[in-house]
């Protein structure tokens, strides 16, 4: 059926226009039905009825869309709850630091324990090392570490505090890793490379710690402590540089061929 004829049908009643439309133009494919001259309803009415029937399918689409919109709200609520949990502050212990002075003192106790633990761990590393330069470097740093322990004790004295060690979980973890590396590598260049890796992790931790403590001492105007901390910080940096040089010369290359 042509667009012109369809338009004519929509604007007129069945009684006036049925005779003008060939029956061959009416088919199920066109969404129409074959009509007879006794039909009194306007053709426009039929098309309106068809649209209503078709419109019944639309609620399903709306439902799908609404459910799609509703799901983010649920996700939003759950995300909001998780965000609240994540932002919840950790309850402080009874003896928690209340000011920078307290934090400074606690940090000194922490590194004091770490340095004393190192004086026991370094001899074992030296014994397991094979490279002569590495053995010498570890031995030299062992003596430096003993002096660093004394400097920390001088810091406590300057603060009129008793030298007290508080277990350092970070250093304990690094020392455990170092022991594990020695157990998991064969003696020689490979183990030496592992010992350097473990030692430099320790040095990096100490550099970060002493740098922070020096910053605290400076702002707290603890000049005596600052002097000792800066001296130790310089030694830790030098030790780290020395270990890098030993690894970069021939040691790592030897580990490849081992």
């Amino acid at each position: 059926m042509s667009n012109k004829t369809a338009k004519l049908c929509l604007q007129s009643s069945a009684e006036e226009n049925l005779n003008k439309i060939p029956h061959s133009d009416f088919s199920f494919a066109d969404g129409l039905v074959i009509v007879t001259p006794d039909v009194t309803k306007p053709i426009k009415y039929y098309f309106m009825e068809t649209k209503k029937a078709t419109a019944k399918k639309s609620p399903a689409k709306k439902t799908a869309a609404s459910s799609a919109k509703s799901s983010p709200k649920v996700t939003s609520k759950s995300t909001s709850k998780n965000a609240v949990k994540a932002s919840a502050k950790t309850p402080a212990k009874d003896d928690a630091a209340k000011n920078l002075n307290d934090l400074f003192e606690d940090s000194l106790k922490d590194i004091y324990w770490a340095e004393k633990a190192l004086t026991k761990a370094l001899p074992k590393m030296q014994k397991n090392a094979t490279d002569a330069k590495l053995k010498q470097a570890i031995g030299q740093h062992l003596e430096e570490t003993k002096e660093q322990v004394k400097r920390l004790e001088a810091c406590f004295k300057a603060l009129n505090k008793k030298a007290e060690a508080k277990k350092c979980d970070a250093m304990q973890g690094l020392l455990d890793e170092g022991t594990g590396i020695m157990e998991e590598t064969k003696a020689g260049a490979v183990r030496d490379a592992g010992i350097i890796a473990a030692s430099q992790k320790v040095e990096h931790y100490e550099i970060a710690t002493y740098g922070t403590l020096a910053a605290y001492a400076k702002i707290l105007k603890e000049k005596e402590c600052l002097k000792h901390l800066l001296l130790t910080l310089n030694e830790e940096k030098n030790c780290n540089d020395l270990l890098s040089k030993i690894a970069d010369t021939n040691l790592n290359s030897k580990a490849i061929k081992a």
Side-chain angles (χ1 to χ4, degrees):
M1 182 168 60
S2 66
N3 291 337
K4 184 176 180 181
T5 305
K7 186 176 181 181
L8 180 63
C9 293
L10 290 172
Q11 295 175 348
S12 306
S13 66
E15 291 179 348
E16 295 174 350
N17 295 294
L18 279 174
N19 294 330
K20 297 178 182 179
I21 306 172
H23 281 193
S24 60
D25 287 338
F26 290 86
S27 66
F28 287 98
D30 292 330
L32 304 171
V33 293
I34 298 176
V35 297
T36 56
D38 62 346
V39 174
T40 57
K41 287 185 178 181
I43 294 178
K44 182 178 180 181
Y45 178 83
Y46 171 76
F47 274 89
M48 289 174 65
E49 288 292 309
T50 305
K51 287 181 180 180
K52 288 180 181 179
T54 306
K56 290 180 181 179
K57 297 179 180 179
S58 60
K61 294 181 180 178
K62 290 181 180 179
T63 303
S66 62
S67 62
K69 290 180 180 178
S70 62
S71 56
K73 292 181 180 179
V74 176
T75 305
S76 177
K77 288 180 180 179
S78 60
T79 303
S80 178
K81 289 180 181 179
N82 291 335
V84 171
K85 290 181 180 179
S87 63
K89 291 180 172 57
T90 302
K93 296 180 179 180
D94 294 336
D95 59 345
K98 297 177 178 61
N99 51 50
L100 191 61
N101 293 82
D102 292 341
L103 183 59
F104 181 55
E105 186 180 341
D106 286 346
S107 299
L108 285 174
K109 292 177 182 179
D110 197 72
I111 196 63
Y112 184 51
W113 185 96
E115 295 293 13
K116 292 183 76 174
L118 271 173
T119 59
K120 298 175 183 179
L122 288 173
K124 185 177 180 181
M125 286 186 173
Q126 186 181 32
K127 184 178 179 180
N128 276 274
T130 301
D131 185 85
K133 291 182 179 179
L134 179 57
K135 277 181 170 291
Q136 183 181 355
I138 295 174
Q140 177 183 326
H141 193 57
L142 173 59
E143 296 306 314
E144 288 177 340
T145 302
K146 291 177 181 178
E147 289 300 316
Q148 290 168 3
V149 170
K150 293 179 181 179
R151 289 192 201 116
L152 288 171
E153 290 171 347
C155 285
F156 282 110
K157 185 177 181 180
L159 296 172
N160 294 317
K161 300 288 183 180
K162 179 183 177 182
E164 185 180 343
K166 181 180 177 182
K167 185 177 181 180
C168 176
D169 293 330
M171 182 59 74
Q172 183 65 66
L174 290 170
L175 294 179
D176 289 342
E177 183 179 359
T179 300
I181 287 176
M182 288 187 286
E183 292 173 347
E184 295 167 6
T185 54
K186 290 184 178 181
V190 177
R191 182 173 292 180
D192 285 352
I195 289 174
I196 289 178
S199 299
Q200 287 194 295
K201 288 181 182 181
V202 170
E203 294 308 315
H204 291 172
Y205 174 75
E206 289 183 306
I207 289 169
T209 299
Y210 282 109
T212 300
L213 286 171
Y216 290 168
K218 183 178 180 180
I219 198 169
L220 292 172
K221 297 181 180 180
E222 296 291 349
K223 295 181 180 179
E224 185 69 17
C225 290
L226 179 60
K227 180 183 68 175
H228 292 306
L229 294 170
L230 289 176
L231 184 57
T232 298
L233 176 61
N234 189 56
E235 288 177 348
E236 303 296 3
K237 289 180 178 179
N238 289 338
C239 180
N240 183 65
D241 290 342
L242 179 59
L243 290 171
S244 292
K245 289 178 181 178
I246 295 172
D248 291 340
T249 43
N250 291 318
L251 199 148
N252 284 343
S253 300
K254 290 178 181 177
I256 296 174
K257 300 175 182 178

